[in-house]
Amino acid sequence: MMTATATATTARTPIAATLLPPQRPAAGQSVVAQRIADTLRQLQEHVAITRRVLHAGDSLYQAGEDFGSLHVVHSGFFKTINQAADGREQVVGLHFKGDWLGFDGIAAGRYGCDAVALDTGEVWTLRYDALLAACARHAPLLGLLHEAMSREITRDRDSLLSLCTLSADARVADFLRYWAESMGQRGLRNDQITLRMTRAEIGNYLGMTLETVSRALSRLSRDKLIAFPERGRRDVSIPDVQALHAYVQRSLTPSTMLQ
Amino acid sequence: MMTATATATTARTPIAATLLPPQRPAAGQSVVAQRIADTLRQLQEHVAITRRVLHAGDSLYQAGEDFGSLHVVHSGFFKTINQAADGREQVVGLHFKGDWLGFDGIAAGRYGCDAVALDTGEVWTLRYDALLAACARHAPLLGLLHEAMSREITRDRDSLLSLCTLSADARVADFLRYWAESMGQRGLRNDQITLRMTRAEIGNYLGMTLETVSRALSRLSRDKLIAFPERGRRDVSIPDVQALHAYVQRSLTPSTMLQ
DNA sequence: CGGCAATTTGACTAGGGTCAATGGCCGTGG
DNA sequence: CCACGGCCATTGACCCTAGTCAAATTGCCG
């Protein structure tokens, strides 16, 4: 269980920084990318931030640890793992740039999940009490915080919905769609994604076994919805994200469809 | 689609009410019941509340409706239903006294779920902007809000975990345990609970068919973990909540166990 | 090059979905 | 008051999806 070997620097920002006008939207950037840039900028200007670089496998925090800080992904990919008292273990979330981590610790006073880096990335860590103080001085921050928590709740419910209503193949397709879409929204290329998780991890996240994940990927590849460009199987090329979405939809109609 | 026929009254409370010391814990009451009483008291003292009585089937709000208010269950039972664009529909949450409703609307500006009463109950509705204003005047309110959102996230993740790691029978057992435990924490009787949902609704919530729910209940009844005291099948008597918990645990060990 | 983890694929099985028949409960109306 | 119809629940029979077990292959890394 390696603990994060983190390079940490503290960025103190002026307490009552002047409120700058929102950054102009860069042409072609999605509203999500814009929102994320805006969030990071506002945090940087109004809250004391500790930056931390983590590498694949490093854990940002672990379940049971005392809660004191929230975290925002600045780059890289993270997963959160929920562990039941009896040892059951489940990947409950994937987190990309702009996503917050650690909300589950607020109520309990202790983190309820492990947060683990899937590759090299940087997180910004904010002390929760400092964040609240900053919110009191600069109200828009509170809006950002609440929206992030709200999105987290919405996202979790969408996961529940997919888990309950989709077949294994469709869940895998939906997983790829979600990942690609998240990349696209953040201005990254989404026609070719690198899965930073093993089949076992993906299966755990999607509520199926690693064999089923592998078979689903093979079927999707046979149907030309995805392709494996490299000899490695971690890179997935997605010629048409829309087609993946359509595939998920199609799998919902057991009735007389084409085919 | 009947809309709530609600009796609404507005309770204006003094803007800057004196902060009272937390109510003394009544002997024998759980910390959850205490927390809920405290929350309701603080809301009553510091925020403008609209009270609303709903009856079984009434909807408190519907997906797509403009978000403007959060809601707190004062009595009764509620479910939230998530609807995908393609018509998939899924019960994503059960809500008892003290639970908040509507968090998913904050980020999107629109509610993402339907909230429906499972029987007669009362909700307190707070305008979100008024709540934020009240938080600015009385900081502890903000703590309550964040804790409630945090618990919601934790709860959703626990649902995910159960859904992915438990067998159908164990999920039904865990569902009954959760319901009974929630009742107990709120000071209500938990040796006999009345399911306010049909088998189909329970199945939808647990990600299985109504037949599987029925069979699971029959098996649990055969194993004496539950009983149907009345001729009606909506009342379930639970002689020992701990035994249900043990049953869930036991189902996790496929290895050589007693039996 | 060797060892090991990750992946793929096949064969088999079982848990749970689907379809169907039956019975209880209750409201409505003759 | 009783008959009827609708909804809900239960149970059985059957089948399919996905889990389990196993073997072979590939790629990675020391």
Side-chain angles (χ1 to χ4, degrees), chain B residues 29-83:
Chain B
Q29 251 193 342
S30 79
V31 328
V32 174
Q34 184 54 39
R35 170 172 58 67
I36 292 171
D38 201 54
T39 298
L40 292 175
R41 193 180 47 79
Q42 292 217 43
L43 288 175
Q44 197 167 22
E45 284 172 9
H46 299 282
V47 195
I49 294 167
T50 305
R51 293 187 172 82
R52 233 175 125 181
V53 173
L54 296 107
H55 302 96
D58 289 349
S59 94
L60 175 57
Y61 56 79
Q62 295 188 302
E65 221 171 271
D66 277 347
F67 168 81
S69 299
L70 291 172
H71 315 269
V72 180
V73 178
H74 185 262
S75 64
F77 307 87
F78 293 78
K79 65 174 175 180
T80 41
I81 304 175
N82 203 356
Q83 276 179 296

Side-chain angles (χ1 to χ4, degrees), chain A residues 82 84 86 88 90 103-104 106-107 113 128 145-147 150 152 157-158 160-161 163-166 249, chain B residues 82 84 86 88 90 103-104 106-107 128 145-147 150 152 157-158 160-161 163-166 249 252:
Chain A
N82 202 355
D86 44 56
R88 280 177 295 158
Q90 164 80 26
F103 288 141
D104 55 297
I106 294 177
C113 297
Y128 179 56
L145 175 64
H146 289 175
E147 281 167 33
S150 174
E152 181 90 16
R157 289 184 176 169
D158 285 344
L160 267 174
L161 182 65
L163 214 51
C164 285
T165 59
L166 297 182
Q249 296 306 310
Chain B
N82 203 356
D86 44 55
R88 279 178 296 157
Q90 165 79 25
F103 289 140
D104 55 296
I106 294 177
Y128 178 56
L145 175 63
H146 289 176
E147 281 167 33
S150 175
E152 182 90 15
R157 289 183 176 169
D158 285 344
L160 268 173
L161 182 66
L163 214 51
C164 284
T165 59
L166 296 183
Q249 296 308 309
L252 290 171

Side-chain angles (χ1 to χ4, degrees), chain B residues 6-242:
Chain B
T7 8
T9 60
T10 300
R12 256 253 158 259
T13 47
I15 293 293
T18 325
L19 175 55
L20 298 177
Q23 223 166 23
R24 75 214 170 285
Q29 251 193 342
S30 79
V31 328
V32 174
Q34 184 54 39
R35 170 172 58 67
I36 292 171
D38 201 54
T39 298
L40 292 175
R41 193 180 47 79
Q42 292 217 43
L43 288 175
Q44 197 167 22
E45 284 172 9
H46 299 282
V47 195
I49 294 167
T50 305
R51 293 187 172 82
R52 233 175 125 181
V53 173
L54 296 107
H55 302 96
D58 289 349
S59 94
L60 175 57
Y61 56 79
Q62 295 188 302
E65 221 171 271
D66 277 347
F67 168 81
S69 299
L70 291 172
H71 315 269
V72 180
V73 178
H74 185 262
S75 64
F77 307 87
F78 293 78
K79 65 174 175 180
T80 41
I81 304 175
N82 203 356
Q83 276 179 296
D86 44 55
R88 279 178 296 157
E89 188 171 304
Q90 165 79 25
V91 177
V92 291
L94 297 178
H95 308 274
F96 307 112
K97 178 174 182 178
D99 289 346
W100 294 61
L101 294 162
F103 289 140
D104 55 296
I106 294 177
R110 271 177 275 108
Y111 292 112
C113 297
D114 295 5
V116 178
L118 293 173
D119 72 341
T120 300
E122 178 181 323
V123 288
W124 290 6
T125 296
L126 335 159
R127 288 206 49 81
Y128 178 56
D129 47 16
L131 177 63
L132 289 186
C135 288
R137 292 188 304 267
H138 181 66
L141 277 180
L142 193 60
L144 294 180
L145 175 63
H146 289 176
E147 281 167 33
M149 295 183 85
S150 175
R151 263 193 307 277
E152 182 90 15
I153 289 170
T154 302
R155 171 81 205 130
D156 286 351
R157 289 183 176 169
D158 285 344
S159 293
L160 268 173
L161 182 66
S162 296
L163 214 51
C164 284
T165 59
L166 296 183
S167 71
D169 283 16
R171 288 214 291 285
V172 172
D174 201 52
F175 163 76
L176 294 172
R177 181 202 57 77
Y178 170 62
W179 192 299
E181 220 158 65
S182 299
M183 294 299 95
Q185 287 173 342
R186 286 160 178 77
L188 305 170
R189 70 179 298 187
N190 67 350
D191 58 333
Q192 177 162 352
I193 62 183
T194 300
L195 299 178
R196 263 95 179 169
M197 308 162 75
T198 66
R199 301 290 188 259
E201 285 176 305
I202 296 171
N204 181 289
Y205 178 51
L206 298 177
M208 65 188 76
T209 60
L210 67 95
E211 292 95 331
T212 301
V213 174
S214 179
R215 277 186 251 266
L217 288 173
S218 296
R219 274 188 285 265
L220 289 173
S221 169
R222 245 195 302 288
D223 295 352
K224 304 277 183 264
L225 285 159
I226 62 172
F228 295 103
E230 314 281 328
R231 53 177 164 279
R233 305 123 306 194
R234 298 291 258 265
D235 285 310
V236 178
S237 111
I238 301 178
D240 181 8
V241 177
Q242 283 306 101

Side-chain angles (χ1 to χ4, degrees), chain A residues 122-183:
Chain A
E122 177 180 324
V123 288
W124 290 6
T125 295
L126 335 158
R127 288 206 49 81
Y128 179 56
D129 47 16
L131 177 63
L132 289 186
C135 288
R137 293 189 303 266
H138 182 65
L141 277 180
L142 193 60
L144 295 181
L145 175 64
H146 289 175
E147 281 167 33
M149 295 183 85
S150 174
R151 262 193 307 279
E152 181 90 16
I153 289 170
T154 301
R155 171 81 204 129
D156 286 351
R157 289 184 176 169
D158 285 344
S159 292
L160 267 174
L161 182 65
S162 295
L163 214 51
C164 285
T165 59
L166 297 182
S167 71
D169 283 16
R171 288 213 292 284
V172 172
D174 200 52
F175 163 76
L176 294 172
R177 181 202 56 77
Y178 170 63
W179 192 300
E181 219 158 65
S182 299
M183 294 299 95

